[in-house]
Amino acid sequence: LAQAGTAGCGCEPRERAGKKQEGSMTARYKKSRHLRGQISNGRGRIGKHRKHPGGCGNSGGQHHHRINFDKYHPGYFGKVGMRNFHLIKHGKVIPAVNIDKLWSLVSEQTRQYYKEKTDKAPVIDVMKAGYMKVTGKGVLPEQAVIVKARYFTKEAEVKIKEAGGVCVLCA
């Protein structure tokens, strides 16, 4: 529990250590030194300097501070749209890999092995590597390859076929 009188109002006392705090002002130049002896310290006799006269924080947004909230923060209150119970945030995430990174999903030995054996083609399953989509940035070496993925862009499909490869869709 916080101490009485200081609960969440942002008026916690500063730390008092042996050396001066970074950014703190020299005491003798403070306004409070200049105002010593003046009864109400420049705050006026009538209104009085009370703790939180308008309420702490964002209080009164729909009441006594309504004009400010409506003017500077329109749409702060209320709701918009439909509620989605059981929202699955990762449902629309589709990790993608470019075709210039395709060969990095298999070892260099595999690439060399299939470079010599042109009657066979390696199968690169991008789903096993954690990707779903193959996109068409970069160049693919002129080497046949079978690429398995859930999605292909048109550009990727064209480049894979030009290299003598095949695109296999898998759910």
Side-chain angles (χ1 to χ4, degrees):
L1 287 171
Q3 289 178 337
T6 62
C9 67
C11 56
E12 283 76 31
R14 289 193 305 196
E15 292 175 31
R16 298 225 166 99
K19 61 181 183 187
K20 198 175 106 169
Q21 269 191 334
E22 189 70 32
S24 66
M25 191 174 170
T26 311
R28 68 177 179 274
Y29 296 131
K30 285 188 177 244
K31 188 181 178 186
S32 61
R33 299 307 315 155
H34 182 69
L35 290 168
R36 283 283 183 241
Q38 315 303 325
I39 305 285
S40 43
N41 226 2
R43 299 287 186 167
R45 279 172 188 263
I46 297 163
K48 297 180 190 58
H49 183 217
R50 296 276 160 84
K51 291 212 170 146
H52 296 283
C56 292
N58 286 335
S59 64
Q62 290 182 304
H63 307 285
H64 55 286
H65 291 151
R66 172 168 247 156
I67 289 170
N68 179 287
F69 272 70
D70 288 349
K71 185 175 183 182
Y72 297 109
H73 311 284
Y76 181 84
F77 296 106
K79 300 175 183 176
V80 151
M82 292 187 297
R83 293 182 64 187
N84 184 358
F85 307 110
H86 192 64
L87 176 67
I88 299 166
K89 290 198 174 166
H90 60 77
K92 294 184 176 77
V93 174
I94 301 172
V97 62
N98 283 312
I99 57 168
D100 58 356
K101 299 273 189 293
L102 270 183
W103 281 103
S104 68
L105 302 179
V106 292
S107 64
E108 185 62 29
Q109 295 166 319
T110 310
R111 198 174 81 79
Q112 295 301 332
Y113 174 78
Y114 284 105
K115 198 171 191 178
E116 296 155 14
K117 299 210 172 202
T118 52
D119 56 330
K120 290 188 199 170
V123 178
I124 299 176
D125 192 351
V126 298
M127 298 279 284
K128 281 183 183 166
Y131 298 104
M132 287 186 191
K133 186 175 191 174
V134 179
T135 49
K137 185 184 170 200
V139 290
L140 202 58
E142 288 295 321
Q143 192 172 340
V145 64
I146 300 163
V147 185
K148 286 175 135 189
R150 194 170 284 177
Y151 309 105
F152 291 92
T153 61
K154 285 179 185 171
E155 201 176 354
E157 203 170 348
V158 167
K159 287 184 180 180
I160 290 166
K161 286 179 180 172
E162 280 175 1
V166 182
C167 299
V168 179
L169 290 169
C170 55

